Amino acid sequence: MKIAGLASNRGRNLRHIADVAPGGAELSVVLTNRESAPVLEAATERRVPTEVVVRGEGESRESHERRVLDRLSGYDFDLVCLDGYMRVLTDEFLDSVPTTLNVHPSLLPSFPGTNAHEQVLDAGVRTTGCTVHVVTEEVDDGPIVTQEPVPVYADDDADSLKTRVLHEAEFVAYPRAVRWFAEDRVTVEREGGEEAGAGDPVAVEIDGDVGGDFPERRFVSEERADTLRYGENPHQDAALYVDDGCEEANVVSAGQRNPGAKGMGYNNYNDADAALNLVKEFDDPAAAVIKHTNPAGCATSDTLDDAYDRALRTDAKSAFGGIVALNRECDADTAAEIADSFKEVVVAPGYTDSALDVLREKKNLRVLDVGPLGEGDARVSERFTEKPIVGGRLVQERDLQSPTAEDLEIVTDREPTDDQLETMLFAWKTLKHVKSNGILFATGTETVGVGMGQVSRVDAVTLAAMKAEKDADGKSAEGAVMASDAFFPFPDAIEEAADAGIEAVIQPGGSVNDEDVIAAADEHDMAMAFTGSRCFRHD
């Protein structure tokens, strides 16, 4: 895709298009009607040929445009892009060149003309943006190719709004439109077909891009709920934005039930979200203790206080200053156990009055009430999760896999017992919330040792065994089940697990060395089950 760019001043959109080359498009020429236009220097720096055609005093539009067309005739181009080209083009010009695009700094048809930003502010609207449209002889009236919205802030003036519309809207929408043309996804048709002229009505059709559940474009509108004390570290500023459309129980909109306690920080929100998502996995009473978004311990039981006790005893040392999440209303017995050591936050779907009396004795303990968790699919109604990265955003489905015993493939000579199968399934649900490379040891429905965030899988096994041996209270890896978030590339991790006393393993399978790994398990009389899918967690 070759572009002829026309600009009268800086040509910042043309410069941006030249820099990002959307769809492989490139500028073949930049033409201006001003001898001193800054766009000339910018184009030269980018090795783009330039032309200057100044309209003579008293010269007609038609005459000037014929000279422009004569200069452009020496270049190959498939698209004309205007960028602040302060001339109204005639039918004759538009009939003589390929499709011509322009970008206007408002959401047309609202606020046409040269003072769009002032019109926006005078009208008091809260959303503006830009419009990329096909140029016709009617100013700011051609059919729309794409638009990009921008919020209008209370302290905006015309200059600040102009800057933000340029960088947040025009720099996004104009390259998008060019890329669509480069990818041959835009059809421009005039009534009358090949005999039609520039003055005839124009229709634009955009071919859709099928992406399944992932839309081609996303708009995110969130209100700032709070300015936080700081981010991950004191030298980083931070803020909290709220999605008022979220119906799933969440820590962002949770009420704080301990008046006078200090506000939630960036890390508190991050850890509390991780903790709440973990206990949502379970139907039975469940408790989890989270530190730096990793589970220090997790358990289910017949009673909430027992579940918390079992979770805490996995690694009470690491739980110091951690986050507690419960999937049942917090009662006084559970509250007393939580208050027995220093915690930053407790998250639950409600509290009894007696539980609040206990927890409020801890002046700086944040007590979050997220409301009912719901049942079944309603408990985790938000389907997607996302991570901003420099230059974009990654979006994926949440990992909601929840295999049953029937889903597992038993690959060893030894069959797991019913109790071991139950533990495997518990361990897998919990492991989904452990940073990769992740290994988890469990007995019954409680964690014994967790090895998280290692760059070597065998090191993760070693860490889980060490934590079970050194930090677990009244627990042991002897006879436990090991869960791995990805396959074992070599048998060495099985050897390490056997030394720790592991008797059963759940893992995805799929390694080229699966046969060697299975053989090692058989040699140590271990039961091993494959899930057929991994559960990496990198954030």
Side-chain angles (χ1 to χ4, degrees):
M1 172 69 67
K2 304 287 187 180
I3 299 171
L6 276 62
S8 297
N9 194 18
R10 298 183 181 277
R12 285 174 292 189
N13 277 296
L14 293 179
R15 287 151 49 187
H16 183 62
I17 288 171
D19 292 340
V20 300
E26 59 184 36
L27 288 168
S28 58
V29 61
V30 168
L31 182 144
T32 182
N33 56 355
R34 289 181 55 214
E35 289 182 344
S36 59
V39 71
L40 294 170
E41 181 179 353
T44 301
E45 290 174 351
R46 291 163 175 79
R47 300 178 182 274
V48 177
T50 60
E51 297 286 348
V52 180
V53 184
V54 179
R55 184 178 176 181
E57 185 175 351
E59 184 180 13
S60 68
R61 282 198 300 160
E62 292 78 7
S63 172
H64 178 248
E65 288 182 359
R66 280 192 286 272
R67 291 196 295 119
V68 170
L69 289 170
D70 182 61
R71 292 287 189 90
L72 292 177
S73 64
Y75 299 93
D76 179 26
F77 56 95
D78 313 291
L79 189 68
V80 177
C81 290
L82 307 186
D83 184 16
Y85 188 67
M86 304 306 291
R87 289 289 180 267
V88 177
L89 298 172
T90 65
D91 285 354
E92 180 181 350
F93 181 91
L94 296 174
D95 283 340
S96 302
V97 298
T99 298
T100 301
L101 300 181
N102 189 33
V103 61
H104 180 76
S106 79
L107 299 176
L108 293 174
S110 299
F111 314 119
T114 58
N115 61 340
H117 304 305
E118 289 82 356
Q119 292 181 63
V120 165
L121 294 172
D122 290 344
V125 298
R126 288 292 169 256
T127 303
T128 183
C130 75
T131 302
V132 180
H133 63 93
V134 174
V135 175
T136 64
E137 193 173 36
E138 297 298 322
V139 178
D140 298 334
D141 194 40
I144 293 169
V145 177
T146 188
Q147 294 180 307
E148 188 71 20
V150 168
V152 181
Y153 298 139
D155 60 350
D156 269 327
D157 58 23
D159 288 338
S160 66
L161 193 57
K162 177 181 178 180
T163 298
R164 290 181 35 253
V165 168
L166 173 69
H167 290 277
E168 298 177 22
E170 294 182 17
F171 279 7
V172 174
Y174 218 161
R176 177 195 304 133
V178 171
R179 175 170 54 83
W180 285 352
F181 274 90
E183 295 172 350
D184 200 25
R185 292 179 51 197
V186 184
T187 302
V188 179
E189 294 183 351
R190 298 181 186 274
E191 290 186 11
E194 294 181 359
E195 303 301 320
D200 291 286
V202 183
V204 171
E205 182 177 340
I206 311 295
D207 290 341
D209 179 24
V210 178
D213 292 328
F214 297 97
E216 184 174 42
R217 296 174 64 199
R218 299 173 65 245
F219 295 120
V220 177
S221 178
E222 298 170 342
E223 297 292 326
R224 189 182 66 219
D226 197 6
T227 299
L228 306 179
R229 290 178 298 142
Y230 54 80
E232 285 184 291
N233 301 290
H235 64 276
Q236 296 170 266
D237 292 335
L240 173 70
Y241 287 81
V242 60
D243 175 8
D244 287 323
C246 178
E247 298 180 354
E248 182 178 329
N250 66 87
V251 298
V252 173
S253 58
Q256 192 160 318
R257 303 295 299 278
N258 192 0
K262 59 185 177 182
M264 293 276 287
Y266 182 100
N267 293 332
N268 299 139
Y269 275 113
N270 203 27
D271 289 343
D273 175 68
L276 179 61
N277 286 335
L278 173 50
V279 296
K280 286 177 183 177
E281 295 278 357
F282 305 104
D283 294 322
D284 293 331
V289 182
I290 295 289
K291 195 72 173 289
H292 301 303
T293 69
N294 274 302
C298 181
T300 67
S301 187
D302 294 333
T303 63
L304 194 62
D305 64 315
D306 187 55
Y308 173 73
D309 175 67
R310 292 171 181 271
L312 180 67
R313 287 190 295 106
T314 303
D315 191 356
K317 177 179 70 175
S318 296
F320 183 84
I323 311 291
V324 175
L326 312 170
N327 72 346
R328 293 287 194 280
E329 181 182 64
C330 182
D331 55 63
D333 289 340
T334 307
E337 292 193 38
I338 293 172
D340 190 49
S341 62
F342 173 56
K343 301 293 186 301
E344 290 274 6
V345 182
V346 57
V347 184
Y351 300 84
T352 64
D353 290 340
S354 55
L356 288 175
D357 289 340
V358 173
L359 295 173
R360 284 170 178 167
E361 293 179 2
K362 298 290 186 178
K363 294 188 182 299
N364 278 323
L365 176 65
R366 292 84 150 186
V367 180
L368 300 187
D369 186 345
V370 299
L373 298 187
E375 297 181 358
D377 293 339
R379 189 181 302 170
V380 285
S381 58
E382 294 294 310
R383 289 189 55 202
F384 301 101
T385 184
E386 58 189 66
K387 174 183 172 60
I389 58 176
V390 175
R393 186 177 297 264
L394 298 171
V395 180
Q396 66 171 344
E397 290 183 315
R398 291 169 72 179
D399 186 358
L400 301 179
Q401 61 173 311
S402 183
T404 66
E406 290 72 26
D407 296 323
L408 303 181
E409 177 189 3
I410 311 304
V411 295
T412 48
D413 294 336
R414 178 176 172 179
E415 293 271 341
T417 65
D418 289 343
D419 287 344
Q420 286 174 332
L421 286 172
E422 181 185 24
T423 302
M424 286 179 177
L425 299 177
F426 163 81
W428 190 257
K429 289 181 178 180
T430 306
L431 182 64
K432 286 163 49 181
H433 301 266
V434 175
K435 298 296 186 294
S436 190
N437 285 323
I439 293 289
L440 186 139
F441 291 178
T443 57
T445 55
E446 62 183 281
T447 50
V448 171
V450 187
M452 74 284 285
Q454 302 303 299
V455 293
S456 161
R457 189 155 301 279
V458 69
D459 286 348
V461 176
T462 302
L463 177 58
M466 183 271 286
K467 298 295 286 184
E469 177 68 25
K470 290 182 57 179
D471 297 323
D473 179 12
K475 303 185 183 190
S476 172
E478 193 67 40
V481 168
M482 177 174 71
S484 172
D485 65 353
F487 61 64
F488 294 104
F490 305 105
D492 52 359
I494 301 301
E495 302 291 343
E496 188 82 5
D499 290 342
I502 294 297
E503 292 187 358
V505 178
I506 180 171
Q507 59 131 324
S511 168
V512 294
N513 291 323
D514 272 350
E515 290 185 5
D516 294 339
V517 172
I518 294 169
D522 284 334
E523 182 179 342
H524 292 284
D525 196 27
M526 288 183 185
M528 182 179 288
F530 284 0
T531 63
S533 62
R534 72 186 187 197
C535 59
F536 271 167
R537 187 175 186 86
H538 288 169
D539 295 313

